[in-house]
Amino acid sequence: YLPRMSLCYIGANLASSFCERVNSCAKNIMTHDRTLLSDKHLEMLCYLRMNCDFIYYLKAKCPSVMRDWQAKQRNPDYREEE
């Protein structure tokens, strides 16, 4: 039973540290000067800030993926080339 218990404990610690990272990110974005941000905008800014390294990596390594994504943002009826 100890190995199973240890996996649960490790998972809980990882989830806890992730929540702390998200809260820390939100705290850095929602300053005294930005108290009028809506929940939706705060969530979007946190998402972008926490994934910015991945976005830059994807932009450098897979430009076609970024091009398709940008085309979808401009035109919802856009279909990927197969």
Side-chain angles (χ1 to χ4, degrees), residues 7-54:
L7 288 176
C8 292
Y9 183 72
I10 290 170
N13 281 339
L14 292 176
S16 172
S17 65
F18 178 74
C19 289
E20 288 185 20
R21 283 183 56 221
V22 171
N23 286 336
S24 176
C25 180
K27 184 177 76 172
N28 290 335
I29 293 172
M30 182 66 83
T31 62
H32 291 293
D33 298 332
R34 292 184 175 173
T35 56
L36 296 178
L37 279 176
S38 69
D39 293 343
K40 181 179 177 181
H41 286 107
L42 179 62
E43 185 177 340
M44 288 190 296
L45 289 170
C46 284
Y47 180 83
L48 290 172
R49 184 169 290 184
M50 292 185 73
N51 291 300
C52 94
D53 291 338
F54 175 70

